[in-house]
């Protein structure tokens, strides 16, 4: 069975990604890194907001309640 390469909707060079993302965003989104535990300001976010991807701008989810 031959594998086919996955085609992504957003295609950018590594240089283009580095220009639009902060160093931390680049590490997490492009290099499979992780944020430091407890470092995300969103842990204390209480507003009902729509979260979007920092890289492509697509909607991720709507936070209208906390668990």
């Amino acid at each position: 069975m031959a594998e086919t390469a996955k085609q992504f909707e957003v295609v950018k060079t590594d240089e283009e990604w580095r220009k639009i993302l902060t160093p931390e965003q680049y590490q997490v989104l492009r290099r499979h890194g992780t944020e430091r535990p407890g470092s995300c300001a969103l842990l204390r976010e209480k507003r009902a907001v729509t979260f979007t991807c920092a890289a492509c701008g697509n909607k991720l989810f709507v936070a209208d309640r906390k668990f």
Side-chain angles (χ1 to χ4, degrees):
M1 182 185 313
E3 282 191 40
T4 58
K6 186 172 184 175
Q7 187 65 25
F8 294 99
E9 186 176 327
V10 178
V11 179
K12 296 185 185 306
T13 66
D14 195 57
E15 184 178 319
E16 289 172 316
W17 285 120
R18 288 181 184 273
K19 285 181 181 177
I20 65 171
L21 299 171
T22 67
E24 183 177 34
Q25 289 171 332
Y26 180 82
Q27 182 64 22
V28 171
L29 295 169
R30 305 301 303 163
R31 305 297 295 167
H32 308 288
T34 59
E35 298 171 319
R36 290 185 327 273
S39 67
C40 183
L42 299 176
L43 292 172
R44 294 170 288 287
E45 180 61 60
K46 303 290 188 211
R47 298 172 293 166
V49 297
T50 300
F51 289 87
T52 57
C53 177
C56 68
N58 285 333
K59 289 182 183 179
L60 299 174
F61 61 91
V62 176
D64 58 357
R65 61 178 119 3
K66 288 285 189 177
F67 292 95

